[in-house]
Structure formats: C-alpha cells, structure tokens
Amino acid sequence: MQTIAPLLNYQVKLTSTTGHLLTVSLTIEDPATEGQALSLPAWIPGSYMVRDFAKNIIWLKASNKHNKELKVIKLDKQRWQVAPCEGPLSIEYQIYAFDLSVRGAYVNDEMAFFNGTNVFLAVEGQTQQPISVTLEKPNDKVLSHWKVATTLDNEPNSRHKFGEYTAIDYDNLIDHPVLFGEFDIIPFKASGVEFELVLAGGHQADTDRIASDLTKICDHHLKFFNGPSPVSRYLFITLLTDNAFGGLEHISSTALMYSRKDLPSLSDKNSMTEGYQVFLSLCSHEFFHTWHVKRTKPIELFDALLDSEKYTEQLWIYEGFTSYYDDLSLLKAGLITQEAYLKVVAQNLTRLLRNKGRLKQSITESSFDAWTKFYKQDEGSINHIVSYYNKGAVVALCLDLIIRKQSSNIYSLDHVLKELWTQYGQVNQPTEPNCVHQIIEKSLGLDVSAFLNLALYSTEELPTLELLNQFGVNVEKFSRNSLQDKGGMPSDAPFIIEFGAMAKQRDIGIELTQVTEHTAAYDSGLQVGDVLIAVDKWQISMGNLKSQLNNLVLGQKVTLSILRDKKLKQLDFVAQAAAMDTLALSIAEQALCDTWLLSR
C-alpha cells in the first residue's frame, strides 16, 4: 500500500548557541485558498498560565513555490495571515530560546530543549493532518556528537539520531518535548514497557540505582492501572542544574528539572536522602499523569484550544490525587518505610496548616483561579489562596480513609482511580465535575457526599487528624524548630515566642520574604522587604533570631529596628506564644495502620 506523504513538513535548525536561536521552516503543500492563517499556542497543557510563547518569534516570512516573498499580516499577538497562493507555501521564522524551564524552549552550548507549543506554528484548518518533522543536525563540528531525545515517532534504529520524525496531527506534535545535546541515556524496562532516563546538564549520579528505583515505581503504576499500557515507550527527560525543580507531563514522556547535587552518588548506596526521595516522588508524579490527566481529563480541558484560558474546578482531582499517590507509591514499591512516608504526610499537613489562605479559598475555587492566582503567586499568596496540589492531596488522604472505613476496607481510593481510568480515560471520555461523587455512589455503593461538599466547596477544616487516629496513627503538634522547619519531626528546640514571618540573611540583619496574617510579625506592622536589624537593641541574624525571641516573656513589648526602603524605622512588637503549627506522625497501633498502608 502506498504511503501518503504528509501535507505539513517542519524543519528545526539550531541557528546559534550564543544567540539562543532556533530557525523553523514549514512547508504547507495545500494552503487555504483565501490565505493561510497560522498561530502559536498561548499556553502549554499542564501549566495553567497564559505565557504568550509567540513573543519569542523574532521574525517570520513567507514565500510561494516560485520563491517569491508573500505579504504576511499579524492578526493579533499569536496569529498571522499569509496572502493567498498556490502550494506549496513556505514559512520560515526564528525563535529566541532562552527559557530554561520544563514548559519552555532553551538553547545553550550544551543542549537545545524545546516544547512544541513554543516552536511549531499551527496551520489553521489543517491541524488534523499528519506531520513530518526534520530535526537538523548542527553544522558546528563542536556539536557533531550531539544526540536527540524525544518520543516523536521514527524508526527504532534511528532513535537518538537527527533526521525525520512524524506525528499523527498537531496536538500530537506539540505533546513530545525534544532535546538535542550531550546527555546520558539510561534504559530500563518495567512490565514490558521501554523506558529511558535522560540526564542532561552533567552529573555524578549512581545511574544504576536510579534506574532500579524507577523500575519499581513504573512497574507499580503500570500494575495499578491494570490492562494494556497506554504507552510502549516512555522518556524521563531530565535537565540538571545546580538548583532547580520542576516537572511537566506529556503523552509518552515527561520533562523534569532537578538539582544534580540531590541525585544519589555511588557513596549513597545505603541511604535515601531527602533530595533523592523528592526526585523519585517527582518522577512518580509525572508518570502517574500518563493515565491521570493525559488521558483521563476534565471536560473543560478535553480537546481544549490553547489560545486562551480554559477554566475548570477539577484540578483537585488531577493534581491533588496525583500528589497523594506520588509519595504513597514509593512506599508501595518498597523504596521507603512507613515511618518515612508518614514524615512526608506530616510535612504536607504542616504546609496546609500554616497556609492561612485555606480559610479564605475553597479547593475548587483554587482550581478555577489557577490561571490568575495559583500560577501568579506573590508574597501575599500564603494569606489568600490555597494550593489544589497540597490541599488536594490531603482531601485524597481523607477520602481514602473514609472509603476504607465505610466499606470495612473492602474499597479504597484506589478503586476510584481505577474506575476513572476505566469509565473515562480508557474510552476517551472527559470527566464532569461530579465524577468522583458518581463513582463512589454508583460503583462503590457509598455515600461520602457530606465530606465532599465540605472539602470542595467550603473553607472548613478537614477531619484529617481524627481519621488518622482511627487508622492507628498518632498526631502531635509542636511549634517549629526554625524558619526552615518543614515539619514531620518532633521539635526538640522550638520557638517559644512566635515570629510569624519568613526571612533570608542579609549582610546586616534579615530580610522578610513572607509575613503570615494574624501573627506577632503581622500585628507589629512588619512587611515583606523589611530588613530586621535588631530586637530590643540586640542585632538580629538568621542564626540568633530564635534565641533572641525566646529571651522574651509572653506579653513583653519590645522595639524592632528595621530598614524599609533604606529608611530606619522602629516598630512595637508584643511577644506571643509560638503557634503549634508543626505536625509529626507516628504509628500508635501497627495493625490498624497496616490496614491503610499495607493493603493493596
């Protein structure tokens, strides 16, 4: 059977590592008779903020089959109209690529990484056409050893090589990030699926250990969702820097950013450092999205156009549930102990408890306002909004325990996730806002509507601690040990007197980066950006802040000396008892706890 050549052909060329430039050539065999319209997405799926990627297009020109230049009119910030012509129509444009993020496009002398949303113009009216993409090998001899990492389709023996790749349509084209460069490829298999861990940016990591641990996580997820895997090959494309964190899910890969110093070295064989555990959790989170957001997805984001915001209140289901399972899966895969897992849970609960915004914004409001509030956070966000990731994970925890309790441990949240996949994702159907309610009621035969209404549509406190107690877990509250204390461990030398702000060290004093509402710092009039120099005439640093505050007695009024906009000010500070906003969990009844943490 004769293969029909794609009517849309893209060619991506690395133009300058110093100037951070990519040049794209697009050939349209059959352009629209009235003149071809072109557009670039304004946002990327999984990152709910309009980023206006078109701003990075430096120039764009068009020519007909006779190589005669055609008039191009810019219609708005992300759309262009080309004068009518007979095909083929040639489009050429250049992109500035210097956004080192999982959602961007970035070029330097070590790598070129890009998402299709940043690079590939959509040919309006032809987005369902099959596509070919030529990834051109750099001419520079210094870069002659560069490879390619992507899950765009090509011949198996041509993987990691420059040349021709294909996509079934435009949506598929922009869902496969591409990496050129010098990087390590660590292959492994789990449940019959081929995986590659790609590490770019340089490292000294124990790659055998990472591959072994990722194998267990991936095997867990593949068996969790049962049935045929939606992917036959999957890439963890990891951009390593000195200090970074990020992840973005794609149809058969993920783009990650992480600190190279937090990966395990050969000397770490017998230890699970916090940094490495977080890396495994991040990988777990993004791979879980292969089912739960890339295929099972909200109706508002189903086949959504990427030209403007698409609002949904369902992100608590997708990011919240995934944030619950990412760490829990490390326990289920045998990579961490119950005690280590409960420490993570305690840290998540501590984070929510310290978040004053939980008392002002519901989790569904947080989801709906992700575009303008969650993804555009400022110094006041701690007081005004709640995270659908963080609170969503706590809601998932509560829901899991409530389902287990009501069904005498016959059912759990696992069943809800599997039903979401079976009823929606596997059959390409979008979820409605009440999908979780419906599954629990109809498939499990349980009534949890009272909890869900409280958890989703109010700002009332969740019954988390009570539920944990019912499953053999003891909860203790402390005041924090330090400003950096994330919770999870008992406080042995806590703040006795409350501060109520976060800060960083300056040459003289400490600069406030966050002030929490209705705390001693807030009541004294301290503001973000203030440099606290002294408390009661004693110079302050990050090292002595706790001891200077703990020298005070409750109710004592002292003077704070601060610099605000380089002007000296003095504020009254009244010593208050430190908030008990730091949680630690421990196992009180092992058998009860096992009904939650050991059950499958």
Side-chain angles (χ1 to χ4, degrees), residues 64-101:
N64 62 16
K65 62 182 179 180
H66 303 295
N67 205 31
K68 179 181 178 181
E69 190 165 342
L70 299 169
K71 185 177 182 180
V72 180
I73 299 173
K74 193 166 187 180
L75 302 175
D76 57 36
K77 64 180 180 178
Q78 63 207 48
R79 298 180 70 243
W80 294 260
Q81 180 84 32
V82 182
C85 72
E86 292 184 3
L89 166 63
S90 297
I91 308 294
E92 189 175 24
Y93 53 101
Q94 196 167 81
I95 295 169
Y96 178 67
F98 204 50
D99 175 16
L100 182 55
S101 71

mmCIF file of all heavy atoms in Angstrom, residues 64-101:
data_model
loop_
_atom_site.group_PDB
_atom_site.id
_atom_site.type_symbol
_atom_site.label_atom_id
_atom_site.label_comp_id
_atom_site.label_asym_id
_atom_site.label_seq_id
_atom_site.Cartn_x
_atom_site.Cartn_y
_atom_site.Cartn_z
ATOM 1 N N ASN A 64 6.132 31.777 -1.985
ATOM 2 C CA ASN A 64 5.379 30.794 -2.756
ATOM 3 C C ASN A 64 6.327 29.809 -3.435
ATOM 4 O O ASN A 64 7.550 29.839 -3.201
ATOM 5 C CB ASN A 64 4.464 31.488 -3.761
ATOM 6 C CG ASN A 64 5.243 32.300 -4.779
ATOM 7 O OD1 ASN A 64 6.462 32.131 -4.943
ATOM 8 N ND2 ASN A 64 4.557 33.190 -5.484
ATOM 9 N N LYS A 65 5.770 28.959 -4.313
ATOM 10 C CA LYS A 65 6.580 27.914 -4.931
ATOM 11 C C LYS A 65 7.633 28.473 -5.879
ATOM 12 O O LYS A 65 8.593 27.778 -6.234
ATOM 13 C CB LYS A 65 5.685 26.924 -5.661
ATOM 14 C CG LYS A 65 4.874 27.516 -6.803
ATOM 15 C CD LYS A 65 3.995 26.450 -7.417
ATOM 16 C CE LYS A 65 3.151 27.012 -8.565
ATOM 17 N NZ LYS A 65 2.276 25.965 -9.165
ATOM 18 N N HIS A 66 7.456 29.743 -6.269
ATOM 19 C CA HIS A 66 8.453 30.391 -7.123
ATOM 20 C C HIS A 66 9.471 31.175 -6.290
ATOM 21 O O HIS A 66 10.230 31.973 -6.838
ATOM 22 C CB HIS A 66 7.755 31.329 -8.107
ATOM 23 C CG HIS A 66 6.737 30.637 -8.951
ATOM 24 N ND1 HIS A 66 7.059 29.654 -9.867
ATOM 25 C CD2 HIS A 66 5.377 30.776 -9.006
ATOM 26 C CE1 HIS A 66 5.964 29.214 -10.465
ATOM 27 N NE2 HIS A 66 4.919 29.879 -9.961
ATOM 28 N N ASN A 67 9.435 30.963 -4.995
ATOM 29 C CA ASN A 67 10.338 31.643 -4.060
ATOM 30 C C ASN A 67 10.116 33.155 -4.018
ATOM 31 O O ASN A 67 11.021 33.921 -3.693
ATOM 32 C CB ASN A 67 11.796 31.330 -4.406
ATOM 33 C CG ASN A 67 12.695 31.469 -3.196
ATOM 34 O OD1 ASN A 67 12.277 31.240 -2.066
ATOM 35 N ND2 ASN A 67 13.945 31.860 -3.430
ATOM 36 N N LYS A 68 8.914 33.571 -4.336
ATOM 37 C CA LYS A 68 8.559 34.985 -4.261
ATOM 38 C C LYS A 68 7.969 35.261 -2.872
ATOM 39 O O LYS A 68 7.085 34.562 -2.403
ATOM 40 C CB LYS A 68 7.532 35.335 -5.331
ATOM 41 C CG LYS A 68 7.106 36.807 -5.294
ATOM 42 C CD LYS A 68 6.073 37.104 -6.370
ATOM 43 C CE LYS A 68 5.623 38.562 -6.291
ATOM 44 N NZ LYS A 68 4.598 38.882 -7.311
ATOM 45 N N GLU A 69 8.470 36.309 -2.235
ATOM 46 C CA GLU A 69 8.017 36.627 -0.887
ATOM 47 C C GLU A 69 6.567 37.075 -0.894
ATOM 48 O O GLU A 69 6.128 37.832 -1.772
ATOM 49 C CB GLU A 69 8.902 37.706 -0.258
ATOM 50 C CG GLU A 69 8.632 37.909 1.228
ATOM 51 C CD GLU A 69 9.721 38.691 1.933
ATOM 52 O OE1 GLU A 69 10.838 38.802 1.390
ATOM 53 O OE2 GLU A 69 9.446 39.162 3.048
ATOM 54 N N LEU A 70 5.817 36.605 0.084
ATOM 55 C CA LEU A 70 4.390 36.908 0.213
ATOM 56 C C LEU A 70 4.156 37.834 1.395
ATOM 57 O O LEU A 70 4.904 37.815 2.376
ATOM 58 C CB LEU A 70 3.585 35.623 0.409
ATOM 59 C CG LEU A 70 3.668 34.595 -0.715
ATOM 60 C CD1 LEU A 70 3.041 33.277 -0.265
ATOM 61 C CD2 LEU A 70 2.977 35.109 -1.975
ATOM 62 N N LYS A 71 3.085 38.606 1.299
ATOM 63 C CA LYS A 71 2.735 39.510 2.383
ATOM 64 C C LYS A 71 2.185 38.716 3.574
ATOM 65 O O LYS A 71 1.366 37.816 3.413
ATOM 66 C CB LYS A 71 1.702 40.529 1.917
ATOM 67 C CG LYS A 71 1.364 41.589 2.966
ATOM 68 C CD LYS A 71 0.393 42.622 2.415
ATOM 69 C CE LYS A 71 0.091 43.695 3.453
ATOM 70 N NZ LYS A 71 -0.857 44.713 2.928
ATOM 71 N N VAL A 72 2.645 39.063 4.754
ATOM 72 C CA VAL A 72 2.174 38.443 5.993
ATOM 73 C C VAL A 72 1.624 39.540 6.897
ATOM 74 O O VAL A 72 2.309 40.529 7.161
ATOM 75 C CB VAL A 72 3.306 37.689 6.715
ATOM 76 C CG1 VAL A 72 2.777 37.063 8.006
ATOM 77 C CG2 VAL A 72 3.920 36.619 5.818
ATOM 78 N N ILE A 73 0.385 39.375 7.343
ATOM 79 C CA ILE A 73 -0.252 40.325 8.254
ATOM 80 C C ILE A 73 -0.373 39.670 9.620
ATOM 81 O O ILE A 73 -0.861 38.548 9.742
ATOM 82 C CB ILE A 73 -1.643 40.740 7.754
ATOM 83 C CG1 ILE A 73 -1.537 41.425 6.389
ATOM 84 C CG2 ILE A 73 -2.328 41.674 8.762
ATOM 85 C CD1 ILE A 73 -2.891 41.709 5.763
ATOM 86 N N LYS A 74 0.058 40.370 10.645
ATOM 87 C CA LYS A 74 -0.117 39.851 12.007
ATOM 88 C C LYS A 74 -1.505 40.243 12.494
ATOM 89 O O LYS A 74 -1.844 41.429 12.547
ATOM 90 C CB LYS A 74 0.959 40.394 12.942
ATOM 91 C CG LYS A 74 1.015 39.640 14.263
ATOM 92 C CD LYS A 74 2.284 39.935 15.051
ATOM 93 C CE LYS A 74 2.368 39.030 16.284
ATOM 94 N NZ LYS A 74 3.580 39.279 17.088
ATOM 95 N N LEU A 75 -2.319 39.235 12.842
ATOM 96 C CA LEU A 75 -3.710 39.470 13.225
ATOM 97 C C LEU A 75 -3.854 39.834 14.698
ATOM 98 O O LEU A 75 -4.705 40.646 15.055
ATOM 99 C CB LEU A 75 -4.546 38.228 12.908
ATOM 100 C CG LEU A 75 -4.540 37.784 11.445
ATOM 101 C CD1 LEU A 75 -5.315 36.485 11.300
ATOM 102 C CD2 LEU A 75 -5.118 38.871 10.552
ATOM 103 N N ASP A 76 -3.080 39.205 15.535
ATOM 104 C CA ASP A 76 -3.078 39.511 16.962
ATOM 105 C C ASP A 76 -1.762 39.004 17.540
ATOM 106 O O ASP A 76 -0.817 38.746 16.793
ATOM 107 C CB ASP A 76 -4.305 38.927 17.686
ATOM 108 C CG ASP A 76 -4.435 37.413 17.518
ATOM 109 O OD1 ASP A 76 -3.389 36.727 17.489
ATOM 110 O OD2 ASP A 76 -5.567 36.914 17.417
ATOM 111 N N LYS A 77 -1.687 38.863 18.852
ATOM 112 C CA LYS A 77 -0.402 38.537 19.486
ATOM 113 C C LYS A 77 0.141 37.169 19.099
ATOM 114 O O LYS A 77 1.340 36.907 19.276
ATOM 115 C CB LYS A 77 -0.538 38.614 21.006
ATOM 116 C CG LYS A 77 -1.509 37.604 21.608
ATOM 117 C CD LYS A 77 -1.598 37.744 23.120
ATOM 118 C CE LYS A 77 -2.567 36.714 23.699
ATOM 119 N NZ LYS A 77 -2.627 36.808 25.173
ATOM 120 N N GLN A 78 -0.697 36.277 18.557
ATOM 121 C CA GLN A 78 -0.228 34.918 18.285
ATOM 122 C C GLN A 78 -0.719 34.356 16.957
ATOM 123 O O GLN A 78 -0.552 33.168 16.696
ATOM 124 C CB GLN A 78 -0.664 33.982 19.421
ATOM 125 C CG GLN A 78 -2.173 33.837 19.567
ATOM 126 C CD GLN A 78 -2.609 33.485 20.965
ATOM 127 O OE1 GLN A 78 -2.182 34.098 21.929
ATOM 128 N NE2 GLN A 78 -3.448 32.476 21.078
ATOM 129 N N ARG A 79 -1.286 35.213 16.066
ATOM 130 C CA ARG A 79 -1.817 34.725 14.790
ATOM 131 C C ARG A 79 -1.296 35.590 13.635
ATOM 132 O O ARG A 79 -1.122 36.796 13.765
ATOM 133 C CB ARG A 79 -3.350 34.731 14.781
ATOM 134 C CG ARG A 79 -3.962 33.818 15.836
ATOM 135 C CD ARG A 79 -5.485 33.854 15.793
ATOM 136 N NE ARG A 79 -6.017 33.220 14.601
ATOM 137 C CZ ARG A 79 -6.730 33.843 13.664
ATOM 138 N NH1 ARG A 79 -6.994 35.142 13.770
ATOM 139 N NH2 ARG A 79 -7.185 33.195 12.613
ATOM 140 N N TRP A 80 -1.096 34.911 12.507
ATOM 141 C CA TRP A 80 -0.628 35.567 11.291
ATOM 142 C C TRP A 80 -1.496 35.115 10.114
ATOM 143 O O TRP A 80 -2.020 34.000 10.113
ATOM 144 C CB TRP A 80 0.824 35.195 10.987
ATOM 145 C CG TRP A 80 1.833 35.687 11.973
ATOM 146 C CD1 TRP A 80 2.644 36.776 11.847
ATOM 147 C CD2 TRP A 80 2.155 35.108 13.239
ATOM 148 N NE1 TRP A 80 3.447 36.923 12.955
ATOM 149 C CE2 TRP A 80 3.169 35.900 13.834
ATOM 150 C CE3 TRP A 80 1.680 33.994 13.946
ATOM 151 C CZ2 TRP A 80 3.724 35.625 15.063
ATOM 152 C CZ3 TRP A 80 2.220 33.711 15.174
ATOM 153 C CH2 TRP A 80 3.234 34.525 15.730
ATOM 154 N N GLN A 81 -1.617 35.984 9.119
ATOM 155 C CA GLN A 81 -2.350 35.647 7.891
ATOM 156 C C GLN A 81 -1.414 35.866 6.705
ATOM 157 O O GLN A 81 -0.845 36.956 6.530
ATOM 158 C CB GLN A 81 -3.582 36.552 7.725
ATOM 159 C CG GLN A 81 -4.411 36.282 6.480
ATOM 160 C CD GLN A 81 -5.406 35.155 6.683
ATOM 161 O OE1 GLN A 81 -5.909 34.960 7.790
ATOM 162 N NE2 GLN A 81 -5.697 34.415 5.624
ATOM 163 N N VAL A 82 -1.249 34.836 5.875
ATOM 164 C CA VAL A 82 -0.387 34.910 4.703
ATOM 165 C C VAL A 82 -1.245 35.147 3.469
ATOM 166 O O VAL A 82 -2.346 34.590 3.343
ATOM 167 C CB VAL A 82 0.430 33.618 4.541
ATOM 168 C CG1 VAL A 82 1.372 33.710 3.347
ATOM 169 C CG2 VAL A 82 1.217 33.319 5.814
ATOM 170 N N ALA A 83 -0.781 35.962 2.553
ATOM 171 C CA ALA A 83 -1.514 36.246 1.316
ATOM 172 C C ALA A 83 -1.790 34.952 0.554
ATOM 173 O O ALA A 83 -0.985 34.016 0.596
ATOM 174 C CB ALA A 83 -0.714 37.219 0.454
ATOM 175 N N PRO A 84 -2.912 34.875 -0.195
ATOM 176 C CA PRO A 84 -3.254 33.658 -0.949
ATOM 177 C C PRO A 84 -2.176 33.287 -1.969
ATOM 178 O O PRO A 84 -1.538 34.165 -2.565
ATOM 179 C CB PRO A 84 -4.563 34.030 -1.646
ATOM 180 C CG PRO A 84 -5.131 35.142 -0.834
ATOM 181 C CD PRO A 84 -3.956 35.904 -0.315
ATOM 182 N N CYS A 85 -1.998 31.989 -2.131
ATOM 183 C CA CYS A 85 -1.062 31.496 -3.143
ATOM 184 C C CYS A 85 -1.350 30.032 -3.412
ATOM 185 O O CYS A 85 -2.025 29.364 -2.629
ATOM 186 C CB CYS A 85 0.385 31.685 -2.704
ATOM 187 S SG CYS A 85 0.900 30.562 -1.378
ATOM 188 N N GLU A 86 -0.814 29.513 -4.533
ATOM 189 C CA GLU A 86 -0.869 28.088 -4.790
ATOM 190 C C GLU A 86 0.253 27.405 -4.017
ATOM 191 O O GLU A 86 1.312 27.992 -3.785
ATOM 192 C CB GLU A 86 -0.711 27.811 -6.289
ATOM 193 C CG GLU A 86 -1.888 28.294 -7.131
ATOM 194 C CD GLU A 86 -1.725 27.907 -8.585
ATOM 195 O OE1 GLU A 86 -0.728 27.222 -8.910
ATOM 196 O OE2 GLU A 86 -2.585 28.296 -9.388
ATOM 197 N N GLY A 87 -0.007 26.164 -3.644
ATOM 198 C CA GLY A 87 1.010 25.460 -2.893
ATOM 199 C C GLY A 87 2.143 24.957 -3.764
ATOM 200 O O GLY A 87 2.018 24.915 -4.991
ATOM 201 N N PRO A 88 3.242 24.595 -3.152
ATOM 202 C CA PRO A 88 3.477 24.649 -1.707
ATOM 203 C C PRO A 88 3.821 26.055 -1.206
ATOM 204 O O PRO A 88 4.447 26.834 -1.917
ATOM 205 C CB PRO A 88 4.656 23.707 -1.510
ATOM 206 C CG PRO A 88 5.405 23.764 -2.815
ATOM 207 C CD PRO A 88 4.367 23.948 -3.884
ATOM 208 N N LEU A 89 3.391 26.326 0.017
ATOM 209 C CA LEU A 89 3.678 27.584 0.708
ATOM 210 C C LEU A 89 4.815 27.323 1.698
ATOM 211 O O LEU A 89 4.774 26.360 2.454
ATOM 212 C CB LEU A 89 2.430 28.064 1.442
ATOM 213 C CG LEU A 89 2.596 29.177 2.486
ATOM 214 C CD1 LEU A 89 3.098 30.468 1.842
ATOM 215 C CD2 LEU A 89 1.274 29.418 3.225
ATOM 216 N N SER A 90 5.823 28.193 1.664
ATOM 217 C CA SER A 90 6.964 28.047 2.565
ATOM 218 C C SER A 90 6.937 29.146 3.618
ATOM 219 O O SER A 90 6.835 30.331 3.284
ATOM 220 C CB SER A 90 8.287 28.118 1.789
ATOM 221 O OG SER A 90 8.378 27.037 0.881
ATOM 222 N N ILE A 91 7.026 28.746 4.875
ATOM 223 C CA ILE A 91 7.075 29.675 6.008
ATOM 224 C C ILE A 91 8.422 29.475 6.701
ATOM 225 O O ILE A 91 8.863 28.340 6.907
ATOM 226 C CB ILE A 91 5.942 29.409 7.023
ATOM 227 C CG1 ILE A 91 4.574 29.371 6.326
ATOM 228 C CG2 ILE A 91 5.972 30.437 8.148
ATOM 229 C CD1 ILE A 91 4.135 30.687 5.733
ATOM 230 N N GLU A 92 9.063 30.563 7.055
ATOM 231 C CA GLU A 92 10.297 30.471 7.823
ATOM 232 C C GLU A 92 10.241 31.493 8.953
ATOM 233 O O GLU A 92 9.784 32.628 8.742
ATOM 234 C CB GLU A 92 11.520 30.723 6.939
ATOM 235 C CG GLU A 92 12.839 30.427 7.649
ATOM 236 C CD GLU A 92 14.045 30.555 6.737
ATOM 237 O OE1 GLU A 92 13.965 31.285 5.724
ATOM 238 O OE2 GLU A 92 15.073 29.929 7.037
ATOM 239 N N TYR A 93 10.674 31.085 10.144
ATOM 240 C CA TYR A 93 10.657 32.003 11.278
ATOM 241 C C TYR A 93 11.754 31.621 12.259
ATOM 242 O O TYR A 93 12.247 30.489 12.264
ATOM 243 C CB TYR A 93 9.289 32.025 11.957
ATOM 244 C CG TYR A 93 8.728 30.677 12.370
ATOM 245 C CD1 TYR A 93 8.801 30.242 13.687
ATOM 246 C CD2 TYR A 93 8.081 29.841 11.442
ATOM 247 C CE1 TYR A 93 8.266 29.031 14.082
ATOM 248 C CE2 TYR A 93 7.548 28.626 11.827
ATOM 249 C CZ TYR A 93 7.643 28.219 13.145
ATOM 250 O OH TYR A 93 7.104 27.011 13.525
ATOM 251 N N GLN A 94 12.124 32.597 13.062
ATOM 252 C CA GLN A 94 13.199 32.392 14.031
ATOM 253 C C GLN A 94 12.681 32.621 15.442
ATOM 254 O O GLN A 94 11.875 33.527 15.685
ATOM 255 C CB GLN A 94 14.372 33.329 13.743
ATOM 256 C CG GLN A 94 15.666 32.923 14.444
ATOM 257 C CD GLN A 94 16.852 33.670 13.880
ATOM 258 O OE1 GLN A 94 17.097 34.816 14.254
ATOM 259 N NE2 GLN A 94 17.601 33.030 12.973
ATOM 260 N N ILE A 95 13.175 31.798 16.374
ATOM 261 C CA ILE A 95 12.699 31.806 17.755
ATOM 262 C C ILE A 95 13.858 32.058 18.707
ATOM 263 O O ILE A 95 14.923 31.441 18.584
ATOM 264 C CB ILE A 95 12.025 30.467 18.098
ATOM 265 C CG1 ILE A 95 10.754 30.276 17.267
ATOM 266 C CG2 ILE A 95 11.707 30.377 19.588
ATOM 267 C CD1 ILE A 95 10.189 28.888 17.345
ATOM 268 N N TYR A 96 13.639 32.978 19.623
ATOM 269 C CA TYR A 96 14.579 33.190 20.722
ATOM 270 C C TYR A 96 14.260 32.174 21.813
ATOM 271 O O TYR A 96 13.142 32.135 22.344
ATOM 272 C CB TYR A 96 14.454 34.609 21.260
ATOM 273 C CG TYR A 96 15.353 34.902 22.435
ATOM 274 C CD1 TYR A 96 16.734 34.928 22.280
ATOM 275 C CD2 TYR A 96 14.833 35.166 23.699
ATOM 276 C CE1 TYR A 96 17.578 35.208 23.350
ATOM 277 C CE2 TYR A 96 15.666 35.457 24.778
ATOM 278 C CZ TYR A 96 17.038 35.470 24.587
ATOM 279 O OH TYR A 96 17.861 35.750 25.657
ATOM 280 N N ALA A 97 15.237 31.332 22.139
ATOM 281 C CA ALA A 97 15.003 30.213 23.057
ATOM 282 C C ALA A 97 15.959 30.294 24.231
ATOM 283 O O ALA A 97 17.083 29.762 24.178
ATOM 284 C CB ALA A 97 15.168 28.891 22.317
ATOM 285 N N PHE A 98 15.531 30.965 25.284
ATOM 286 C CA PHE A 98 16.389 31.080 26.472
ATOM 287 C C PHE A 98 15.550 31.014 27.741
ATOM 288 O O PHE A 98 15.818 31.701 28.710
ATOM 289 C CB PHE A 98 17.207 32.368 26.419
ATOM 290 C CG PHE A 98 18.468 32.316 27.241
ATOM 291 C CD1 PHE A 98 19.355 31.263 27.119
ATOM 292 C CD2 PHE A 98 18.770 33.319 28.142
ATOM 293 C CE1 PHE A 98 20.527 31.213 27.873
ATOM 294 C CE2 PHE A 98 19.928 33.279 28.912
ATOM 295 C CZ PHE A 98 20.810 32.218 28.771
ATOM 296 N N ASP A 99 14.535 30.169 27.726
ATOM 297 C CA ASP A 99 13.687 29.929 28.895
ATOM 298 C C ASP A 99 14.015 28.540 29.422
ATOM 299 O O ASP A 99 13.506 27.541 28.913
ATOM 300 C CB ASP A 99 12.209 30.036 28.506
ATOM 301 C CG ASP A 99 11.267 29.667 29.656
ATOM 302 O OD1 ASP A 99 11.731 29.622 30.810
ATOM 303 O OD2 ASP A 99 10.071 29.427 29.383
ATOM 304 N N LEU A 100 14.893 28.473 30.413
ATOM 305 C CA LEU A 100 15.280 27.182 30.986
ATOM 306 C C LEU A 100 14.194 26.750 31.967
ATOM 307 O O LEU A 100 14.249 27.039 33.164
ATOM 308 C CB LEU A 100 16.636 27.284 31.682
ATOM 309 C CG LEU A 100 17.184 25.979 32.288
ATOM 310 C CD1 LEU A 100 17.246 24.865 31.250
ATOM 311 C CD2 LEU A 100 18.556 26.213 32.911
ATOM 312 N N SER A 101 13.192 26.066 31.448
ATOM 313 C CA SER A 101 12.082 25.569 32.255
ATOM 314 C C SER A 101 11.493 24.365 31.545
ATOM 315 O O SER A 101 11.754 24.138 30.366
ATOM 316 C CB SER A 101 11.001 26.643 32.447
ATOM 317 O OG SER A 101 10.303 26.860 31.231
#
